[in-house]
């Protein structure tokens, strides 16, 4: 089983990101389970969303504490709390960052300028599809075609713009 | 067709499949997505029935009772404070023998104000005469709403179909949505008596004397006990039709067990993993999931648990000053047996406090080490097992 945790702020699209990713894994033939936690439904407030993926039915009805993969949509959120509270030792951390990053923790780091990509694709601050494109780059279990199908189903508007952000982020994801 | 659905949306899908004619409800977290989805389905023409956005839960239930008396199929949903506010009308519903189905999403009852799951909202309605079915996940909730109409319209009693707030209501998982034609075949034809002519409205609640009151209550009581067999039958035929059935209780590995864990609702899923893990360590643990709470399945409880040495009951609810409510019912079911297991009551997972499989395993190991159960419950919160 793989556990994925998204941390972001209201307006980034973290809740829908987990749902799109769940759908993509579902289309790939996996059993997904996803949920979200809100501090209060408002823009700018910290939002966490979660996804479990397995090849069989998932029985865990409890919280994900430290995930295998951590997707950070707002860089400042990992300044507030140690990153190892969110991710396992040796896990993957993907961060939305406009500059190259290095972390001293024992994680596999990747970063992408999702804000710039989303903005240039006409999506403003909604960076979820860009983050998912970057995620497909670091998790080779999920071919892009499944994410593209899921985006078409879940994104309420600007479908082509979201697909462009997904593909561009896939290509622009970097590791230190 | 299998789709990714939250437990709330699974319940809304069931309402669509059951061709419900009338829905009256008021939104409250965490039930609101049921209300929103049904509203959307009515607006899109996917549900042909009418939706009444009531000004309160009390009014919603009053409207449901009146509508049901005209012979139409009725649904409502609520949580927490909303269910508490309905309380008076819940007695009217069961006393009037209306086959209403209500989706209940467990949430703490204030104060303090909070949003997580706590079964005390529905368990506080224990004595209102409603049948109560506690579901483990979204799939079971969808299936149980469909079964509930078959049961309600057979025995003329209202039914609560209950899920945990958040863990079931908001977790999105694959859910199989049955074919509508099969649901049509499974449900009884809509042929409910019209007991209320809205063109000639009249007061229906006659004042009765002690003889008639006792007569009414006795019959309601006996019919509620008989409802158990109807539920068992509805579940069996559901299994034949759709390939899924749940039972009124479910026993897992209890035959050769030395210790049994008793759960209801979403906690059951984690407990299944605990039993598997304990067995891998050589500990003969078993599980009893209690789905039906009213009428209480005391015969089944005795059948599956009475041979054990020790039973662990985990309650995500609390009757303050007494204990976990499922635990109390369980003890009462066994009090006249000559040989009965030691029963250890635990209160945990209140407000959705995390209750992972490892913790349930630790509790079980703790009970195996103990000699005698305490009279009062053990609080999982703040205890180091």
């Amino acid at each position: 089983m793989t556990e994925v945790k998204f941390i972001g702020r209201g307006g980034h699209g973290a809740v829908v990101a987990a749902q799109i990713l769940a759908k993509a894994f579902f289309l790939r033939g996996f059993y997904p389970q996803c949920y979200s936690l809100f501090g209060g439904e408002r823009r700018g407030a910290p939002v966490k969303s979660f996804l479990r993926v397995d090849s069989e039915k998932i029985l865990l009805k409890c919280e994900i504490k430290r995930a295998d993969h951590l997707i950070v949509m707002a860089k400042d959120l990992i300044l507030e709390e140690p990153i190892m509270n969110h991710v396992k030792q040796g896990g993957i951390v993907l961060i939305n960052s406009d500059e190259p990053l290095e972390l001293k923790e024992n994680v596999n780091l990747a970063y992408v300028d999702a804000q710039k990509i989303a903005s240039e694709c006409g999506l403003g601050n909604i960076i979820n599809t860009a983050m998912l494109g970057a995620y497909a780059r670091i998790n080779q279990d999920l071919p892009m075609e499944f994410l593209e199908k899921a985006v078409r189903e879940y994104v309420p508007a600007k479908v082509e713009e979201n697909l462009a952000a997904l593909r561009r982020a896939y290509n622009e994801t970097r590791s230190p | 067709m299998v789709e990714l659905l939250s437990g709330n949306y699974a319940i809304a899908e069931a309402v669509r499949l059951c061709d419900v004619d009338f829905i009256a409800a008021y939104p409250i977290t965490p039930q609101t997505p049921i209300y929103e989805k049904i509203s959307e389905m009515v607006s899109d023409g996917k549900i042909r029935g009418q939706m009444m956005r009531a000004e309160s839960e009390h009014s919603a239930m009053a409207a449901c009772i009146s509508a049901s008396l005209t012979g139409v199929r009725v649904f409502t949903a609520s949580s927490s404070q909303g269910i508490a506010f309905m309380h008076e009308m819940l007695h009217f519903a069961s006393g009037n023998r209306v086959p209403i189905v209500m989706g209940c999403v467990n949430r703490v009852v204030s104060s303090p104000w909070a949003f997580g799951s706590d079964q005390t909202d529905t368990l506080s309605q224990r004595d209102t005469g409603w049948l109560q079915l506690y579901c483990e996940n979204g799939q079971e909730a969808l299936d149980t709403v469909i079964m509930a109409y078959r049961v309600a319209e057979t025995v003329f009693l209202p039914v609560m179909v209950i899920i945990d707030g958040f863990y079931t209501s908001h977790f999105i998982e694959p859910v199989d949505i049955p074919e509508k034609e099969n649901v049509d075949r499974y449900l009884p034809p809509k042929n409910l008596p019209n007991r209320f002519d809205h063109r000639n409205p009249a007061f229906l609640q006659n004042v009765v004397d002690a003889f008639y009151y006792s007569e009414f209550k006795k019959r309601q009581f006996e019919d509620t006990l008989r409802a158990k067999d109807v539920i068992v039958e509805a579940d069996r035929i559901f299994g034949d039709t759709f390939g899924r059935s749940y039972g009124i209780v479910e026993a897992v590995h209890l035959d050769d067990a030395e210790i049994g864990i008793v759960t209801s609702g979403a906690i059951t899923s984690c407990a299944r993993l605990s039993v598997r893990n304990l067995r891998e360590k050589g500990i003969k643990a078993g599980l009893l999931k209690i789905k039906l709470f009213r009428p209480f399945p005391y015969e089944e409880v005795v059948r599956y648990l009475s041979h054990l040495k020790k039973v662990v009951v985990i309650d995500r609810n609390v009757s303050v000053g007494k204990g976990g409510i499922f635990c109390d019912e369980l003890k009462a079911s066994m009090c006249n047996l000559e040989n009965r297991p030691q029963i250890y009551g635990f209160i945990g997972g209140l407000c959705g406090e995390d209750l992972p499989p490892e913790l349930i395993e630790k509790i079980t190991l703790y009970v195996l080490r103990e000699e005698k159960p305490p009279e009062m419950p053990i609080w999982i919160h703040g205890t180091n097992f």
Side-chain angles (χ1 to χ4, degrees):
Chain A
M1 182 166 53
T2 305
E3 293 182 329
V4 186
K5 182 169 181 176
F6 292 80
I7 56 175
R9 292 192 179 279
H12 280 147
V15 173
V16 176
Q19 293 177 8
I20 293 171
L21 197 53
K23 184 70 182 195
F25 276 114
F26 181 62
L27 292 169
R28 181 92 170 94
F30 288 99
Y31 186 104
Q33 176 200 70
C34 76
Y35 67 97
S36 311
L37 287 179
F38 306 92
E41 287 89 337
R42 60 191 192 275
R43 278 181 196 274
V47 173
K48 292 174 190 163
S49 58
F50 303 84
L51 173 70
R52 289 186 173 102
V53 184
D54 206 351
S55 51
E56 55 185 30
K57 183 175 175 177
I58 296 168
L59 288 171
L60 289 171
K61 290 288 165 70
C62 51
E63 293 171 22
I64 293 175
K65 295 276 165 56
R66 290 181 181 82
D68 300 286
H69 303 161
L70 173 67
I71 301 177
V72 181
M73 301 172 99
K75 203 167 46 175
D76 60 309
L77 288 172
I78 55 170
L79 302 174
E80 292 176 5
E81 200 182 343
I83 202 162
M84 299 317 287
N85 283 359
H86 297 294
V87 68
K88 287 176 185 157
Q89 292 286 343
I92 293 176
V93 178
L94 169 66
I95 302 179
N96 168 29
S97 175
D98 57 0
E99 55 183 6
L101 286 174
E102 294 212 29
L103 290 174
K104 58 181 189 308
E105 286 87 353
N106 172 29
V107 291
N108 295 302
L109 175 66
Y111 55 87
V112 65
D113 194 347
Q115 184 64 65
K116 180 171 164 233
I117 293 169
S119 169
E120 288 179 7
C121 289
L123 298 168
N125 290 325
I126 305 170
I127 59 167
N128 55 4
T129 44
M131 293 305 286
L132 289 173
Y135 181 76
R137 181 68 176 274
I138 58 172
N139 185 351
Q140 297 293 329
D141 283 345
L142 187 65
M144 280 285 272
E145 57 179 293
F146 296 102
L147 263 175
E148 288 172 6
K149 270 190 203 166
V151 166
R152 283 185 192 282
E153 190 173 324
Y154 274 81
V155 168
K158 296 193 179 178
V159 174
E160 291 310 317
E161 289 87 337
N162 276 289
L163 289 171
L166 187 81
R167 291 179 193 128
R168 213 181 121 184
Y170 180 89
N171 291 322
E172 295 183 16
T173 301
R174 301 283 177 265
S175 292
Chain B
M1 190 172 59
V2 180
E3 283 194 28
L4 295 185
L5 291 178
S6 67
N8 278 334
Y9 280 12
I11 287 177
E13 284 295 333
V15 172
R16 176 183 66 78
L17 288 167
C18 292
D19 267 336
V20 172
D21 301 298
F22 180 80
I23 303 108
Y26 188 85
I28 178 169
T29 302
Q31 155 268 25
T32 305
I34 301 178
Y35 175 95
E36 289 171 341
K37 194 67 184 174
I38 290 176
S39 185
E40 187 186 310
M41 286 170 164
V42 170
S43 160
D44 294 346
K46 289 179 184 163
I47 294 176
R48 276 172 298 179
Q50 284 187 29
M51 177 149 182
M52 175 178 163
R53 291 166 186 83
E55 74 275 22
S56 75
E57 289 86 352
H58 189 279
S59 304
M61 184 49 62
C64 285
I65 294 167
S66 309
S68 186
L69 286 168
T70 69
V72 300
R73 191 170 280 168
V74 170
F75 179 83
T76 188
S78 195
S79 292
S80 178
Q81 254 47 42
I83 298 171
F85 194 25
M86 273 181 190
H87 175 74
E88 182 196 13
M89 284 291 127
L90 296 179
H91 284 277
F92 273 106
S94 61
N96 275 299
R97 307 296 300 265
V98 285
I100 298 170
V101 174
M102 170 154 69
C104 294
V105 186
N106 289 135
R107 168 184 162 184
V108 298
V109 185
S110 297
S111 174
W113 199 251
F115 301 98
S117 185
D118 177 339
Q119 298 167 325
T120 311
D121 58 353
T122 45
L123 290 170
S124 321
Q125 310 305 333
R126 187 189 66 174
D127 302 333
T128 57
W130 283 59
L131 310 184
Q132 292 198 358
L133 293 160
Y134 287 81
C135 301
E136 185 177 346
N137 52 44
Q139 182 73 64
E140 187 176 354
L142 185 153
D143 294 344
T144 304
V145 167
I146 298 168
M147 285 184 225
Y149 278 107
R150 188 179 167 115
V151 172
E153 292 175 10
T154 304
V155 296
F156 282 89
L157 287 166
V159 184
M160 292 183 193
V161 177
I162 301 153
I163 59 174
D164 286 80
F166 181 58
Y167 288 112
T168 305
S169 68
H170 284 65
F171 270 41
I172 296 171
E173 292 185 86
V175 173
D176 180 40
I177 304 172
E179 293 296 327
K180 176 110 179 31
E181 301 86 79
N182 293 339
V183 176
D184 290 345
R185 264 199 302 278
Y186 173 80
L187 288 178
K190 280 191 196 169
N191 190 22
L192 296 167
N194 183 347
R195 292 179 276 168
F196 183 70
D197 181 359
H198 64 90
R199 282 154 305 203
N200 186 21
F203 187 65
L204 288 176
Q205 315 291 333
N206 279 351
V207 176
V208 294
D209 61 15
F211 176 85
Y212 277 108
Y213 181 81
S214 301
E215 193 70 19
F216 269 107
K217 278 295 146 188
K218 193 176 169 206
R219 285 192 193 186
Q220 187 186 341
F221 189 90
E222 287 164 354
D223 287 349
T224 301
L225 292 189
R226 269 197 290 277
K228 190 174 91 172
D229 294 337
V230 177
I231 296 167
V232 169
E233 179 74 352
D235 183 69
R236 189 185 62 74
I237 297 168
F238 193 93
D240 292 345
T241 313
F242 301 99
R244 290 185 295 273
S245 64
Y246 303 90
I248 53 174
V249 300
E250 181 191 342
V252 182
H253 295 317
L254 281 169
D255 288 349
D256 68 339
E258 54 182 315
I259 188 161
I261 304 167
V262 179
T263 58
S264 62
I267 290 174
T268 308
S269 289
C270 280
R272 289 180 196 276
L273 293 170
S274 309
V275 167
R276 196 182 71 190
N277 297 342
L278 287 164
R279 289 220 161 223
E280 278 172 10
K281 289 176 196 156
I283 293 154
K284 287 184 175 173
L287 171 70
L288 187 72
K289 163 183 165 179
I290 300 184
K291 176 172 185 175
L292 177 65
F293 180 77
R294 274 293 177 272
F296 195 77
Y298 64 94
E299 287 162 312
E300 288 72 15
V301 162
V302 167
R303 185 186 313 149
Y304 291 115
L305 297 177
S306 58
H307 67 288
L308 299 174
K309 288 195 194 80
K310 289 179 174 178
V311 169
V312 175
V313 187
I314 301 176
D315 271 295
R316 198 201 294 274
N317 60 74
V318 57
S319 173
V320 174
K322 185 65 178 76
I325 297 167
F326 275 86
C327 184
D328 256 24
E329 299 271 339
L330 206 80
K331 284 180 179 170
S333 299
M334 298 210 236
C335 73
N336 289 329
L337 300 179
E338 269 182 42
N339 296 305
R340 52 182 182 268
Q342 289 185 345
I343 299 175
Y344 292 77
F346 289 83
I347 290 173
L350 293 185
C351 196
E353 195 169 35
D354 207 26
L355 205 54
E358 310 87 81
L359 187 50
I360 299 173
E361 289 159 41
K362 280 184 188 167
I363 291 165
T364 311
L365 294 172
Y366 166 84
V367 168
L368 283 171
R369 292 193 301 270
E370 290 295 290
E371 282 180 10
K372 196 170 172 287
E375 281 306 315
M376 285 291 122
I378 303 162
W379 283 72
I380 295 171
H381 176 91
T383 307
N384 188 9
F385 296 100

